[in-house]
Amino acid sequence: MPSNEILKAVFPLLEGTDLAACTAVCKQWQNIAQDDYFWKCLCAKKWPSTCKNSAPPITYHKLFKTFYKREINRTLLPPRISLHDLEFYIDFWADGNSLFSQVVPGPALQKGNWTPPPGISPVMRYHLDSPEYKLTLPVKPRFSVPYSQTVTASVLVARKDTNKVACVIHDATFDYVERSSCRKLAFDYLVLSPAYPFVSGIRAWIALLFVEDGDDGDIDVFGIEVDFCDAANSEEEVLWLLDMLDWK
């Protein structure tokens, strides 16, 4: 039996990865293995319905190669904005009185841009050194807040490249204290552009980073942290997420 006939008898019995490997053996094997009939046999095992179309929209070779394995980690395209394009407006209120109000350039929030003060807890230091991506900012001057006081936060962000503004956090209350890592937390749900109607439920978290201020129940705030851990864990992912906001 000619070698070509042997290969044509064997190739339909192979799995996709083995058939693909055959295309790299030699020119003869490549020419035979690229016959769409063999790939149709593979598609018939995985998606029988695709073989019921007399004129499939794409070749069975392309169909199998594209969809036989779910792509888990897709390469993220470079974001269309950078932190240098952004400016954040951060305001904290304590029982209706302004506690902190500052315009923060985007680069000032980059991770690792500042050194936390001495005296913070080991758990806090471990949290700040963890690989999770967070936007952080030192608070100068530091301020103290009683545990019992109601503190709220608002964060707007402006784009210098388009002169538009979006809301990140709207009047969120710090109603949760994580004592182990010395953080007081609040969150709000992001309002995304109508161009992304099926994306929702992504939270923006903001935290007051503090050290205990004696025995009188106050917290001494030395830093601010913003993260989007529901959906973004790198600078590129955060920038893509911010780009998706409902800019006005």
Side-chain angles (χ1 to χ4, degrees):
M1 181 182 292
S3 60
N4 281 11
E5 297 304 316
I6 296 175
L7 294 176
K8 289 179 181 179
V10 172
F11 280 177
L13 307 177
L14 299 179
E15 295 297 327
T17 52
D18 297 325
L19 184 58
C22 290
T23 63
V25 173
C26 64
K27 190 69 174 177
Q28 178 195 18
W29 284 39
Q30 182 186 59
N31 290 337
I32 297 174
Q34 287 180 340
D35 188 324
D36 214 36
Y37 167 76
F38 303 127
W39 298 98
K40 182 178 180 179
C41 293
L42 290 168
C43 290
K45 297 176 185 177
K46 199 167 183 67
W47 313 287
S49 59
T50 61
C51 300
K52 296 180 180 180
N53 189 344
S54 59
I58 59 176
T59 65
Y60 289 107
H61 184 196
K62 183 176 181 181
L63 177 67
F64 189 87
K65 185 174 67 173
T66 305
F67 297 110
Y68 88 99
K69 187 175 182 181
R70 181 179 292 275
E71 192 173 2
I72 303 298
N73 297 315
R74 301 182 63 183
T75 302
L76 193 66
L77 294 174
R80 295 178 293 185
I81 57 174
S82 73
L83 285 175
H84 291 275
D85 298 322
L86 303 177
E87 197 168 60
F88 293 82
Y89 302 88
I90 303 176
D91 291 281
F92 297 145
W93 302 84
D95 291 337
N97 299 311
S98 179
L99 186 64
F100 175 92
S101 183
Q102 194 166 324
V103 180
V104 182
L109 288 167
Q110 282 180 309
K111 183 176 179 179
N113 239 10
W114 59 286
T115 303
I120 65 174
S121 69
V123 177
M124 166 65 80
R125 188 168 297 279
Y126 176 82
H127 171 77
L128 292 175
D129 291 340
S130 69
E132 296 175 349
Y133 187 79
K134 299 170 281 285
L135 301 173
T136 57
L137 177 75
V139 170
K140 296 179 180 178
R142 291 160 65 157
F143 59 85
S144 295
V145 183
Y147 272 119
S148 59
Q149 199 164 31
T150 300
V151 180
T152 59
S154 295
V155 180
L156 301 176
V157 58
R159 289 181 62 156
K160 300 177 185 177
D161 57 336
T162 60
N163 293 323
K164 291 187 176 182
V165 178
C167 181
V168 179
I169 292 174
H170 176 70
D171 200 26
T173 301
F174 289 93
D175 53 8
Y176 174 66
V177 177
E178 191 176 87
R179 297 296 293 267
S180 61
S181 62
C182 296
R183 295 186 302 153
K184 193 165 188 174
L185 298 135
F187 75 89
D188 195 9
Y189 289 97
L190 293 177
V191 178
L192 302 182
S193 164
Y196 308 98
F198 305 111
V199 182
S200 63
I202 298 175
R203 292 173 294 183
W205 286 89
I206 188 165
L208 301 177
L209 311 179
F210 65 86
V211 294
E212 302 285 353
D213 190 11
D215 299 323
D216 55 1
D218 288 357
I219 59 173
D220 176 18
V221 179
F222 67 84
I224 300 167
E225 176 184 272
V226 179
D227 73 64
F228 308 89
C229 55
D230 289 348
N233 285 297
S234 69
E235 182 174 315
E236 291 76 17
E237 291 176 351
V238 167
L239 290 171
W240 267 111
L241 191 57
L242 294 176
D243 191 27
M244 293 167 62
L245 292 175
D246 192 13
W247 296 92
K248 303 292 188 183

mmCIF file of all heavy atoms in Angstrom, residues 117-128 179-183 210-212 222:
data_model
loop_
_atom_site.group_PDB
_atom_site.id
_atom_site.type_symbol
_atom_site.label_atom_id
_atom_site.label_comp_id
_atom_site.label_asym_id
_atom_site.label_seq_id
_atom_site.Cartn_x
_atom_site.Cartn_y
_atom_site.Cartn_z
ATOM 1 N N PRO A 117 5.015 54.516 56.871
ATOM 2 C CA PRO A 117 5.728 54.985 58.059
ATOM 3 C C PRO A 117 6.101 53.824 58.980
ATOM 4 O O PRO A 117 5.489 52.744 58.907
ATOM 5 C CB PRO A 117 4.721 55.918 58.734
ATOM 6 C CG PRO A 117 3.391 55.376 58.307
ATOM 7 C CD PRO A 117 3.584 54.881 56.909
ATOM 8 N N PRO A 118 7.073 54.034 59.859
ATOM 9 C CA PRO A 118 7.388 52.998 60.854
ATOM 10 C C PRO A 118 6.238 52.836 61.848
ATOM 11 O O PRO A 118 5.439 53.743 62.042
ATOM 12 C CB PRO A 118 8.645 53.543 61.538
ATOM 13 C CG PRO A 118 8.600 55.021 61.310
ATOM 14 C CD PRO A 118 7.942 55.216 59.985
ATOM 15 N N GLY A 119 6.173 51.661 62.444
ATOM 16 C CA GLY A 119 5.155 51.432 63.459
ATOM 17 C C GLY A 119 3.897 50.763 62.961
ATOM 18 O O GLY A 119 2.991 50.492 63.764
ATOM 19 N N ILE A 120 3.793 50.510 61.642
ATOM 20 C CA ILE A 120 2.593 49.831 61.158
ATOM 21 C C ILE A 120 2.673 48.343 61.512
ATOM 22 O O ILE A 120 3.757 47.797 61.739
ATOM 23 C CB ILE A 120 2.410 50.012 59.639
ATOM 24 C CG1 ILE A 120 3.540 49.335 58.857
ATOM 25 C CG2 ILE A 120 2.329 51.478 59.278
ATOM 26 C CD1 ILE A 120 3.331 49.355 57.350
ATOM 27 N N SER A 121 1.541 47.688 61.551
ATOM 28 C CA SER A 121 1.499 46.290 61.960
ATOM 29 C C SER A 121 2.118 45.392 60.885
ATOM 30 O O SER A 121 2.133 45.743 59.692
ATOM 31 C CB SER A 121 0.051 45.857 62.193
ATOM 32 O OG SER A 121 -0.650 45.800 60.959
ATOM 33 N N PRO A 122 2.645 44.232 61.282
ATOM 34 C CA PRO A 122 3.190 43.286 60.296
ATOM 35 C C PRO A 122 2.166 42.864 59.253
ATOM 36 O O PRO A 122 2.510 42.679 58.081
ATOM 37 C CB PRO A 122 3.636 42.099 61.158
ATOM 38 C CG PRO A 122 3.857 42.669 62.525
ATOM 39 C CD PRO A 122 2.852 43.776 62.666
ATOM 40 N N VAL A 123 0.906 42.729 59.674
ATOM 41 C CA VAL A 123 -0.135 42.340 58.715
ATOM 42 C C VAL A 123 -0.338 43.437 57.682
ATOM 43 O O VAL A 123 -0.503 43.164 56.490
ATOM 44 C CB VAL A 123 -1.461 42.039 59.450
ATOM 45 C CG1 VAL A 123 -2.565 41.706 58.449
ATOM 46 C CG2 VAL A 123 -1.281 40.887 60.427
ATOM 47 N N MET A 124 -0.331 44.697 58.130
ATOM 48 C CA MET A 124 -0.442 45.814 57.198
ATOM 49 C C MET A 124 0.733 45.846 56.234
ATOM 50 O O MET A 124 0.567 46.024 55.021
ATOM 51 C CB MET A 124 -0.521 47.134 57.963
ATOM 52 C CG MET A 124 -0.310 48.383 57.109
ATOM 53 S SD MET A 124 -1.590 48.649 55.874
ATOM 54 C CE MET A 124 -2.861 49.365 56.892
ATOM 55 N N ARG A 125 1.946 45.633 56.743
ATOM 56 C CA ARG A 125 3.126 45.653 55.871
ATOM 57 C C ARG A 125 3.056 44.526 54.850
ATOM 58 O O ARG A 125 3.380 44.719 53.668
ATOM 59 C CB ARG A 125 4.407 45.537 56.710
ATOM 60 C CG ARG A 125 5.671 45.744 55.895
ATOM 61 C CD ARG A 125 6.884 45.909 56.784
ATOM 62 N NE ARG A 125 6.772 47.093 57.623
ATOM 63 C CZ ARG A 125 7.056 48.322 57.198
ATOM 64 N NH1 ARG A 125 7.416 48.523 55.935
ATOM 65 N NH2 ARG A 125 6.947 49.348 58.018
ATOM 66 N N TYR A 126 2.617 43.349 55.286
ATOM 67 C CA TYR A 126 2.470 42.223 54.362
ATOM 68 C C TYR A 126 1.434 42.558 53.287
ATOM 69 O O TYR A 126 1.620 42.250 52.109
ATOM 70 C CB TYR A 126 2.050 40.971 55.134
ATOM 71 C CG TYR A 126 1.782 39.777 54.258
ATOM 72 C CD1 TYR A 126 2.829 38.976 53.794
ATOM 73 C CD2 TYR A 126 0.471 39.452 53.878
ATOM 74 C CE1 TYR A 126 2.574 37.882 52.976
ATOM 75 C CE2 TYR A 126 0.217 38.366 53.061
ATOM 76 C CZ TYR A 126 1.266 37.585 52.617
ATOM 77 O OH TYR A 126 1.012 36.508 51.799
ATOM 78 N N HIS A 127 0.337 43.201 53.700
ATOM 79 C CA HIS A 127 -0.714 43.579 52.750
ATOM 80 C C HIS A 127 -0.176 44.551 51.707
ATOM 81 O O HIS A 127 -0.428 44.386 50.503
ATOM 82 C CB HIS A 127 -1.887 44.213 53.502
ATOM 83 C CG HIS A 127 -2.911 44.827 52.611
ATOM 84 N ND1 HIS A 127 -3.856 44.098 51.912
ATOM 85 C CD2 HIS A 127 -3.133 46.136 52.283
ATOM 86 C CE1 HIS A 127 -4.602 44.915 51.203
ATOM 87 N NE2 HIS A 127 -4.199 46.149 51.408
ATOM 88 N N LEU A 128 0.568 45.556 52.135
ATOM 89 C CA LEU A 128 1.086 46.562 51.201
ATOM 90 C C LEU A 128 2.154 45.981 50.279
ATOM 91 O O LEU A 128 2.318 46.448 49.145
ATOM 92 C CB LEU A 128 1.658 47.749 51.981
ATOM 93 C CG LEU A 128 0.630 48.601 52.743
ATOM 94 C CD1 LEU A 128 1.336 49.660 53.581
ATOM 95 C CD2 LEU A 128 -0.358 49.258 51.772
ATOM 96 N N ARG A 179 -9.505 45.079 61.396
ATOM 97 C CA ARG A 179 -8.544 45.412 62.455
ATOM 98 C C ARG A 179 -7.199 44.735 62.258
ATOM 99 O O ARG A 179 -6.157 45.290 62.609
ATOM 100 C CB ARG A 179 -9.126 45.016 63.827
ATOM 101 C CG ARG A 179 -10.397 45.751 64.215
ATOM 102 C CD ARG A 179 -10.162 47.240 64.382
ATOM 103 N NE ARG A 179 -9.305 47.548 65.505
ATOM 104 C CZ ARG A 179 -9.732 47.820 66.730
ATOM 105 N NH1 ARG A 179 -11.024 47.807 66.987
ATOM 106 N NH2 ARG A 179 -8.888 48.107 67.691
ATOM 107 N N SER A 180 -7.195 43.520 61.692
ATOM 108 C CA SER A 180 -5.923 42.797 61.543
ATOM 109 C C SER A 180 -4.947 43.527 60.636
ATOM 110 O O SER A 180 -3.743 43.549 60.890
ATOM 111 C CB SER A 180 -6.182 41.391 61.010
ATOM 112 O OG SER A 180 -6.796 41.441 59.726
ATOM 113 N N SER A 181 -5.460 44.150 59.564
ATOM 114 C CA SER A 181 -4.590 44.882 58.642
ATOM 115 C C SER A 181 -4.714 46.393 58.800
ATOM 116 O O SER A 181 -4.133 47.141 58.017
ATOM 117 C CB SER A 181 -4.899 44.498 57.195
ATOM 118 O OG SER A 181 -6.236 44.841 56.859
ATOM 119 N N CYS A 182 -5.484 46.838 59.805
ATOM 120 C CA CYS A 182 -5.637 48.272 60.104
ATOM 121 C C CYS A 182 -6.131 49.051 58.888
ATOM 122 O O CYS A 182 -5.498 50.012 58.439
ATOM 123 C CB CYS A 182 -4.325 48.852 60.622
ATOM 124 S SG CYS A 182 -3.790 48.147 62.197
ATOM 125 N N ARG A 183 -7.272 48.626 58.382
ATOM 126 C CA ARG A 183 -7.885 49.315 57.248
ATOM 127 C C ARG A 183 -9.362 49.541 57.523
ATOM 128 O O ARG A 183 -10.059 48.660 58.018
ATOM 129 C CB ARG A 183 -7.739 48.503 55.951
ATOM 130 C CG ARG A 183 -6.313 48.320 55.475
ATOM 131 C CD ARG A 183 -6.273 47.639 54.118
ATOM 132 N NE ARG A 183 -6.924 46.339 54.142
ATOM 133 C CZ ARG A 183 -7.501 45.762 53.084
ATOM 134 N NH1 ARG A 183 -7.547 46.397 51.923
ATOM 135 N NH2 ARG A 183 -8.051 44.571 53.190
ATOM 136 N N PHE A 210 -4.397 52.921 58.573
ATOM 137 C CA PHE A 210 -4.193 53.622 59.837
ATOM 138 C C PHE A 210 -3.339 52.818 60.808
ATOM 139 O O PHE A 210 -3.097 51.620 60.624
ATOM 140 C CB PHE A 210 -5.546 53.951 60.482
ATOM 141 C CG PHE A 210 -6.352 52.739 60.890
ATOM 142 C CD1 PHE A 210 -6.157 52.116 62.125
ATOM 143 C CD2 PHE A 210 -7.325 52.216 60.048
ATOM 144 C CE1 PHE A 210 -6.900 51.013 62.504
ATOM 145 C CE2 PHE A 210 -8.077 51.105 60.417
ATOM 146 C CZ PHE A 210 -7.866 50.504 61.656
ATOM 147 N N VAL A 211 -2.905 53.506 61.849
ATOM 148 C CA VAL A 211 -2.315 52.874 63.026
ATOM 149 C C VAL A 211 -3.186 53.266 64.208
ATOM 150 O O VAL A 211 -3.863 54.298 64.188
ATOM 151 C CB VAL A 211 -0.851 53.311 63.252
ATOM 152 C CG1 VAL A 211 0.049 52.810 62.140
ATOM 153 C CG2 VAL A 211 -0.743 54.826 63.372
ATOM 154 N N GLU A 212 -3.201 52.412 65.220
ATOM 155 C CA GLU A 212 -3.987 52.710 66.410
ATOM 156 C C GLU A 212 -3.456 53.966 67.091
ATOM 157 O O GLU A 212 -2.245 54.151 67.228
ATOM 158 C CB GLU A 212 -3.938 51.528 67.385
ATOM 159 C CG GLU A 212 -4.447 50.223 66.802
ATOM 160 C CD GLU A 212 -5.952 50.172 66.672
ATOM 161 O OE1 GLU A 212 -6.624 51.100 67.163
ATOM 162 O OE2 GLU A 212 -6.454 49.197 66.086
ATOM 163 N N PHE A 222 -2.719 57.323 57.843
ATOM 164 C CA PHE A 222 -1.465 57.729 57.191
ATOM 165 C C PHE A 222 -1.479 57.487 55.685
ATOM 166 O O PHE A 222 -0.572 57.920 54.969
ATOM 167 C CB PHE A 222 -0.276 56.972 57.793
ATOM 168 C CG PHE A 222 -0.278 55.492 57.518
ATOM 169 C CD1 PHE A 222 0.236 54.981 56.330
ATOM 170 C CD2 PHE A 222 -0.798 54.609 58.444
ATOM 171 C CE1 PHE A 222 0.235 53.624 56.075
ATOM 172 C CE2 PHE A 222 -0.804 53.234 58.191
ATOM 173 C CZ PHE A 222 -0.293 52.742 57.003
#
